[in-house]
Amino acid sequence: RAILTVMPAFFLILFTLFTTSCDRLLPKGKVPSSVTSALSPERESQAAEPTNGLMSPAEKFSFHRWLVKEMVEQVYAQASKSENEVNDWANVLSQRGSIEGVYHGLVLSSRYSALETGKADLKAVRFFATAMALLENPSLPDTDPFLKENTARYAKEYMSASTFTLKRILGEKVLKEVEKRKGEKEKLAAWYAALATHWARLGIPFGLEQRNRKDEPFHLKWAQENNLGLLEWELLNRTHRALNFYGGLNLAGK
């Protein structure tokens, strides 16, 4: 197909995962009531689709189903058991709903709130504290005293929080940092590439071999070629997978 010659790097690989059901009929456009704001016109730049625009509606829906299933599984750290849930959220994305809107529909749900119990493993708290401090000071080296001070502050403040609480707070921090940079695409891409490369060096499985590459130019090129919504999920995906991993949650490496 012509689309295969132009699809940006590593979404070419994704394409083979979700086009197996391209000939299916799309379900009727049911939109979960919890996130009608995801369809607002100002969020269209965050729509979850490759920017080349050459997918058919059925191909886009298959892509969105794959993406939503990954979101559900990594956010809740549980296998996705409801096809209706996946289809409903995929319809939101197929109607140009935003990744941020769907993500908030998941992470701010009563289902997610019910998971925010217990106390996170110390490894999860350490990763969270380090990530929060680095997001606020991305240009500082790991050995900088100010960075270490902020890391210690976050660790102390959230020492008793659950892994799911850490996931939610770090996810919101990531989105805020994206929001600060979204007006300058090249600077956003450079920031994304540096962060993706830094996290790749941790040796955590992020779900695809391409995500695990310690190759900053590769991540930079990907960020330059894709839109805001996909970039947001790539960062949120890493956030949740890392804390699933350090928190000992079941789907960390899936």
Side-chain angles (χ1 to χ4, degrees):
R1 300 185 183 195
I3 188 172
L4 298 181
T5 65
V6 295
M7 185 167 288
F10 99 58
F11 273 97
L12 175 60
I13 289 89
L14 293 188
F15 188 79
T16 64
L17 299 175
F18 51 68
T19 52
T20 54
S21 57
C22 287
D23 57 345
R24 61 181 291 168
L25 293 175
L26 278 64
K28 294 181 179 178
K30 182 180 178 183
V31 177
S33 59
S34 59
V35 71
T36 52
S37 62
L39 293 172
S40 59
E42 62 269 22
R43 294 296 188 188
E44 283 204 355
S45 66
Q46 293 168 272
E49 56 189 64
T51 53
N52 56 65
L54 296 179
M55 285 185 182
S56 71
E59 288 169 342
K60 285 183 181 179
F61 186 74
S62 292
F63 171 77
H64 291 148
R65 285 195 80 259
W66 182 91
L67 186 57
V68 166
K69 188 172 182 181
E70 180 176 53
M71 292 179 75
V72 169
E73 291 186 340
Q74 296 309 319
V75 167
Y76 294 131
Q78 299 171 358
S80 175
K81 297 178 181 178
S82 171
E83 288 298 309
N84 288 336
E85 177 185 32
V86 172
N87 287 339
D88 288 349
W89 286 118
N91 268 308
V92 170
L93 296 180
S94 292
Q95 294 174 48
R96 297 193 65 77
S98 72
I99 281 285
E100 184 178 346
V102 173
Y103 176 72
H104 280 145
L106 299 175
V107 83
L108 300 179
S109 66
S110 58
R111 176 182 173 185
Y112 192 91
S113 180
L115 296 170
E116 294 190 62
T117 59
K119 186 176 177 180
D121 188 275
L122 183 57
K123 290 180 181 179
V125 176
R126 285 174 177 166
F127 170 79
F128 168 84
T130 302
M132 290 288 284
L134 280 171
L135 283 168
E136 291 179 352
N137 306 278
S139 62
L140 294 181
D142 292 347
T143 55
D144 186 275
F146 181 73
L147 190 65
K148 288 185 174 182
E149 181 182 334
N150 275 355
T151 299
R153 175 174 59 84
Y154 276 116
K156 183 178 180 180
E157 184 176 353
Y158 290 96
M159 185 63 68
S160 299
S162 72
T163 303
F164 283 92
T165 299
L166 300 182
K167 276 153 53 85
R168 173 174 55 79
I169 293 171
L170 185 56
E172 286 303 315
K173 182 65 172 175
V174 165
L175 289 174
K176 286 180 182 178
E177 294 302 316
V178 171
E179 181 73 19
K180 289 179 185 177
R181 296 167 172 82
K182 70 177 186 180
E184 298 181 83
K185 186 173 176 63
E186 287 303 313
K187 288 185 178 180
L188 175 61
W191 172 79
Y192 166 88
L195 185 57
T197 305
H198 175 80
W199 283 0
R201 294 192 182 109
L202 297 176
I204 298 167
F206 288 120
L208 289 170
E209 182 181 348
Q210 289 73 22
R211 289 170 174 160
N212 299 332
R213 287 179 61 169
K214 305 174 186 67
D215 179 358
E216 191 165 334
F218 169 82
H219 294 297
L220 176 64
K221 186 173 187 295
W222 183 89
Q224 290 169 333
E225 293 177 345
N226 283 277
N227 65 16
L228 185 62
L230 291 177
L231 184 148
E232 284 179 327
W233 173 242
E234 284 304 309
L235 292 176
L236 290 169
N237 171 66
R238 287 167 170 81
T239 297
H240 282 269
R241 284 184 186 268
L243 281 167
N244 289 345
F245 180 86
Y246 287 120
L249 300 178
N250 291 333
L251 284 177
K254 183 170 179 181

